[in-house]
Amino acid sequence: MPLRLAFAAVFAWIALAAAAQPATVAPNANLRVENIPPIPQALAERVAAYTEFRGVGFADWHPTRREMLVSHRADGANTPQLFLLRAPGGKLEPLTDFAEPIRTGAFDPVAGRFIVYPRDTGGNEATRIYRMDLDTRQHTQLSNPDERSEFLFNHKGDRLLIFSVPLDRTAQGGRRDEIATTLTLLDPLKPESRRTVATLTGSGWFPLLFSPDDRKLLVLRYRSATDSEVWLLDVATGRNERLLPVADGVRAAYGGFAFAPDGKTIYLTTDQQGEFRQLAAFHLATRKLTPLSAHIPWDVEQIALSEDGKRLAAVVNNDGVDELRMFDPASGAELPRPAVPAGAIGNPGWHRSHPRELAFTLNSPQSAGDVQVLDTATGTLTRWAAAAGAIDAHGFAQPEVVRWKSFDGRTISGLLYLPPARFAGPRPVVIAIHGGPEAQATVAFNGRWNYLINELGVALLEPNVRGSRGYGKTFLDLDNGLRREDAVRDIGALLDWIATDPRLDAKRVLVQGGSYGGYMVLASLVHYSDRLRGGIDVVGISDFITFLNNTESYRRELRRSEYGDERDPAMRAYLQKISPLANAERSRAPLFVVHGKNDPRVPVGEAEQIAARVRANGQPVWLLIADNEGHGFARKANADYYFYTLVKFVEDVLLGK
């Protein structure tokens, strides 16, 4: 055979061999992948419809017109951005266009000539504040680039308060032992006009709102989910006075907050007078708290007072389902409840010029997020913007509340989403554990998890272990300090309960969780590997000592109040004893670890060290790290590859495909 014909035959054979290989999905350049098998292109194609859910979130009303600012990820975009919505069902007009996600912002409260919004870089949470002029679309940075900043307009709308904390990366040695929050007031149109109002030492300071005359500033000092203080700061002098608790030694949580138009009353939520957070009125003249929602045996989690002070909206968390309630501020009486579909209600806000209209985001198992507007005069609910997607979500599963007894006889609850009836027999289970740890699994949209439920026949079970919010302050504190592993034992009791339910397959169970939920995954694998097929740890804590040493300084005291102070020898010994890293040899099931390189809350070293330690013990460990992400994946390109890998892990490990 002539040489050229022989070469042609070889090349043809190579081409045929290559064509015979199934196409795979390559991770993008920002992703570091270790030990993850090739992801078939066919897998990406069959899950594609479940990666296109795009909710819309309410951000702010225009001060004079019936228009609003919303956040949304446009079709084909990688991140959510800000849009202008001029009418119900109208076209979303893009305002921002960045590689970084923009989820919130606010109009200039005077005339709506510009918006102010926060933006970080690569998920590092070093948030900078910007002004965007709506006529020119020019952007101006208003905050110090070396600090983490948030913002608040004064009541008149002519001044912007920027409150900032320094970052560890700007400190000598990359760590700060002394933390302070600086309050700066400026004209947003003339940033050079800035002046320092006050410097508040310590962490956990959050300015909330100005008094109606703009002379005072309400400030929250947050120590933990069950311990905070309310202060009133004089804007002219910087003098700070504690309002609540009135007496020393009283431990309570405070939230919400709205000033009455006359400046004499502050509406807020607090658990000072019971297990749950009640709506209350604090009278500045008498320093007395008057409860308004004592008849509601659940937490009031959000409040919003209309501009004219005549309507007070309250969002009640009823066993994980949000309810919108209305109150008359003058009498304190509850008004007839508006008809709002069940789901999660977010960011309620009254229109300044149309004070009977309340906008909010409504998220439900059948919607990734709609913007709704309630006309409180007529009771009419109008959907201004609807979630988009490539698949109809109206048939997605509604959860049922399930309850089980834990090791100490305490009842623990969770939400169970079952697959469609066409899937016969006991179903494999993914236990998805929330973070916080003070968060809560609530009735809301499950996004991509719906693929596992609807197409793979996997049951999704979201437990609210001790330490979760929504069940009273005693329950919230049950996992603190030396009681940390009691929450892990709640998962053990859940595994017992799964074995009693004929709808579920106790031999096919996998755990997944993010942040603190990631710690719970790792701890569950330490204690219950013989009962679990595997675990997925997303931005999780693997060692409490390294975590507390390396988390950003402005968060350190807050985390010590929850997990314990590692500087105390006895507590340090306990934290070392229970950390999954110290017990990695007991983790005897496949593990998938996911993290963002720029995470300031749970540094990426937590992922790298547990992956290396478990892998050294001979266990399979998949590792996925994104160089341009922080505490979770915000970019669709990264989230898509993570989801493909998650599905592959579930099919290989849980379903045995």
Side-chain angles (χ1 to χ4, degrees):
M1 178 184 293
L3 187 61
R4 61 184 179 82
L5 293 179
F7 276 127
V10 170
F11 290 144
W13 179 85
I14 292 174
L16 281 173
Q21 297 296 319
T24 59
V25 179
N28 68 65
N30 294 300
L31 298 176
R32 177 172 26 128
V33 171
E34 293 182 8
N35 292 355
I36 295 177
I39 304 298
Q41 181 65 38
L43 185 156
E45 292 170 356
R46 64 182 158 91
V47 306
Y50 286 86
T51 69
E52 292 298 333
F53 301 118
R54 295 177 289 114
V56 187
F58 171 72
D60 193 25
W61 279 110
H62 190 282
T64 60
R65 300 195 291 263
R66 292 184 74 249
E67 300 175 0
M68 62 174 64
L69 192 65
V70 300
S71 179
H72 175 67
R73 184 179 64 79
D75 187 18
N78 200 30
T79 58
Q81 298 293 316
L82 293 178
F83 293 79
L84 179 64
L85 179 59
R86 297 183 184 273
K91 180 182 178 181
L92 295 180
E93 302 175 25
L95 296 178
T96 61
D97 183 17
F98 296 106
E100 308 298 337
I102 311 294
R103 295 189 176 89
T104 188
F107 280 108
D108 144 35
V110 177
R113 297 163 296 172
F114 58 87
I115 63 171
V116 175
Y117 64 90
R119 189 174 89 231
D120 71 358
T121 302
N124 64 4
E125 299 185 21
T127 311
R128 301 172 181 179
I129 309 302
Y130 296 85
R131 183 193 80 230
M132 189 186 92
D133 301 315
L134 293 176
D135 54 350
T136 65
R137 302 297 171 94
Q138 293 297 308
H139 301 262
T140 303
Q141 186 170 307
L142 302 177
S143 64
N144 185 332
D146 291 328
E147 297 177 333
R148 181 182 188 271
S149 300
E150 299 178 68
F151 72 93
L152 175 70
F153 275 105
N154 68 352
H155 193 79
K156 188 177 179 181
D158 63 348
R159 291 293 183 272
L160 190 73
L161 182 80
I162 294 180
F163 46 107
S164 308
V165 294
L167 299 170
D168 284 354
R169 62 180 174 79
T170 62
Q172 186 72 27
R175 177 183 170 120
R176 293 181 180 275
D177 294 321
E178 299 295 331
I179 296 297
T181 301
T182 301
L183 279 54
T184 303
L185 200 64
L186 55 88
D187 179 344
L189 294 175
K190 300 176 181 177
E192 67 277 6
S193 67
R194 68 185 68 235
R195 76 171 179 88
T196 300
V197 174
T199 299
L200 306 176
T201 57
S203 59
W205 292 101
F206 297 98
L208 302 166
L209 70 161
F210 284 87
S211 61
D213 62 7
D214 287 332
R215 295 180 179 179
K216 303 288 185 179
L217 180 66
L218 203 63
V219 181
L220 181 72
R221 179 73 185 274
Y222 186 94
R223 289 194 175 89
S224 75
T226 56
D227 184 10
S228 57
E229 297 174 345
V230 181
W231 293 69
L232 195 63
L233 186 143
D234 188 295
V235 176
T237 66
R239 180 177 177 272
N240 206 15
E241 173 192 11
R242 192 182 74 184
L243 297 181
L244 288 166
V246 173
D248 292 337
V250 176
R251 192 165 179 264
Y254 304 95
F257 302 104
F259 259 111
D262 62 7
K264 297 179 181 180
T265 303
I266 300 169
Y267 300 99
L268 49 81
T269 67
T270 180
D271 60 10
Q272 182 176 311
Q273 297 171 316
E275 274 292 312
F276 292 88
R277 291 195 179 202
Q278 300 179 22
L279 174 63
F282 179 73
H283 310 284
L284 286 169
T286 62
R287 304 296 170 97
K288 298 292 185 182
L289 269 174
T290 301
L292 304 181
S293 64
H295 60 291
I296 300 176
W298 296 101
D299 280 341
V300 178
E301 295 195 332
Q302 304 173 73
I303 67 171
L305 182 67
S306 61
E307 188 72 13
D308 59 9
K310 295 181 179 179
R311 300 170 182 84
L312 183 60
V315 178
V316 175
N317 175 357
N318 186 338
D319 207 7
V321 180
D322 283 350
E323 299 174 346
L324 184 61
R325 307 283 192 107
M326 290 290 170
F327 289 82
D328 174 15
S331 66
E334 184 174 0
L335 303 173
R337 191 183 310 177
V340 175
I345 297 172
N347 195 30
W350 296 92
H351 198 296
R352 295 186 66 161
S353 302
H354 303 273
R356 73 186 213 181
E357 291 190 315
L358 179 74
F360 53 90
T361 306
L362 183 64
N363 176 300
S364 75
Q366 289 77 42
S367 171
D370 300 337
V371 176
Q372 302 278 3
V373 174
L374 174 69
D375 185 324
T376 55
T378 65
T380 303
L381 191 67
T382 303
R383 187 169 66 181
W384 273 56
I391 188 171
D392 185 1
H394 287 92
F396 286 0
Q398 279 285 132
E400 64 175 274
V401 178
V402 295
R403 307 183 197 277
W404 62 96
K405 293 287 187 181
S406 194
F407 67 95
D408 56 356
R410 188 175 298 272
T411 298
I412 308 297
S413 66
L415 300 176
L416 174 63
Y417 295 82
L418 289 169
R422 71 177 185 274
F423 291 99
R427 304 315 310 156
V429 182
V430 170
I431 299 174
I433 309 171
H434 66 68
E438 310 95 340
Q440 181 188 17
T442 61
V443 176
F445 192 62
N446 277 318
R448 300 171 182 216
W449 286 111
N450 284 292
Y451 178 81
L452 276 68
I453 299 169
N454 296 333
E455 310 300 336
L456 299 183
V458 174
L460 179 67
L461 209 168
E462 300 178 319
N464 282 313
V465 296
R466 66 192 67 210
S468 303
R469 66 176 174 85
Y471 305 98
K473 61 186 180 184
T474 298
F475 191 85
L476 198 58
D477 278 344
L478 284 177
D479 64 340
N480 289 0
L482 297 173
R483 295 177 289 183
R484 178 61 44 206
E485 286 200 323
D486 286 355
V488 182
R489 297 172 76 183
D490 290 340
I491 299 298
L494 175 56
L495 294 173
D496 294 339
W497 177 85
I498 288 173
T500 69
D501 192 317
R503 301 170 298 176
L504 306 177
D505 186 349
K507 295 182 179 179
R508 292 189 294 171
V509 181
L510 182 148
V511 284
Q512 183 274 347
S515 193
Y516 173 75
Y519 156 74
M520 289 289 289
V521 165
L522 298 173
S524 295
L525 290 175
V526 166
H527 289 276
Y528 310 116
S529 279
D530 59 332
R531 304 167 70 183
L532 294 169
R533 288 286 185 94
I536 303 172
D537 158 32
V538 183
V539 298
I541 301 166
S542 62
D543 184 280
F544 284 110
I545 305 302
T546 57
F547 161 69
L548 289 169
N549 283 338
N550 296 320
T551 191
E552 271 283 343
S553 298
Y554 66 84
R555 291 180 50 83
R556 190 167 291 121
E557 287 303 319
L558 170 64
R559 296 299 81 197
R560 283 170 174 159
S561 69
E562 172 70 34
Y563 299 122
D565 192 334
E566 83 287 1
R567 296 168 299 183
D568 174 78
M571 180 56 69
R572 187 181 187 88
Y574 174 75
L575 291 174
Q576 288 176 324
K577 176 183 176 182
I578 70 168
S579 289
L581 188 69
N583 297 280
E585 74 283 354
R586 297 167 58 190
S587 183
R588 310 298 297 175
L591 175 63
F592 180 19
V593 180
V594 184
H595 220 104
K597 181 181 178 181
N598 303 320
D599 190 345
R601 303 185 182 203
V602 181
V604 68
E606 296 296 305
E608 293 169 328
Q609 64 190 11
I610 193 65
R613 187 73 60 84
V614 174
R615 190 178 293 147
N617 293 330
Q619 296 302 312
V621 179
W622 300 8
L623 179 65
L624 176 63
I625 294 177
D627 288 342
N628 59 345
E629 300 283 10
H631 201 60
F633 285 13
R635 290 159 176 75
K636 185 178 186 297
N638 296 337
D640 283 353
Y641 188 83
Y642 162 51
F643 184 58
Y644 305 154
T645 310
L646 181 148
V647 172
K648 176 70 172 168
F649 189 83
V650 168
E651 290 181 341
D652 289 359
V653 172
L654 181 64
L655 305 182
K657 290 189 177 182

